[in-house]
Amino acid sequence: MKDRLFVLLFASLAGGFGAHRFYLGDKKQARWFLIFCWTGIVYFVALADAIVLIWSREKFDARYNAGQTEARQYYAGTRLTATHTVNDYLPSRTAGSADGPAD
């Protein structure tokens, strides 16, 4: 599953070399970025390309994440579950426990 945030990061950090296009699987376009990386123009093209790619979530998912929406929902669910269970691992302080002062 391709993440739009990674596309934006790859395009802004290494877009002149076509890193975002390699990540998305567009090897033909990525090669063009590599061929013209010495010009410096491709860095601006990469930023504009990333903005266009991440502009619409529906179009991005339809093109690069077709058939993977179930995985995204499951992943989001596990993130929420993990957020809510963080307090389970912290030590609890109750009145009269051996760890804390007794009132």
Side-chain angles (χ1 to χ4, degrees):
M1 185 157 136
K2 307 296 183 191
D3 191 5
R4 295 176 348 157
L5 179 62
F6 285 147
V7 173
L8 182 61
L9 288 174
F10 286 149
S12 60
L13 298 176
F17 300 106
H20 64 294
R21 285 296 176 177
F22 278 114
Y23 174 72
L24 292 173
D26 295 334
K27 293 180 182 176
K28 185 176 180 180
Q29 290 182 2
R31 288 183 191 124
W32 284 109
F33 277 91
L34 280 174
I35 290 170
F36 292 104
C37 68
W38 60 274
T39 63
I41 297 171
V42 291
Y43 293 102
F44 297 110
V45 174
L47 288 175
D49 193 22
I51 291 170
V52 169
L53 283 171
I54 67 170
W55 191 262
S56 172
R57 175 177 288 168
E58 293 80 20
K59 288 182 183 178
F60 183 87
D61 285 341
R63 184 169 181 183
Y64 297 107
N65 295 326
Q68 296 181 358
T69 55
E70 293 84 13
R72 167 177 260 185
Q73 291 170 351
Y74 177 74
Y75 175 70
T78 55
R79 276 182 58 192
L80 291 175
T81 304
T83 304
H84 290 292
T85 59
V86 169
N87 291 330
D88 295 338
Y89 297 105
L90 297 175
S92 61
R93 301 263 176 157
T94 59
S97 67
D99 296 336
D103 290 331

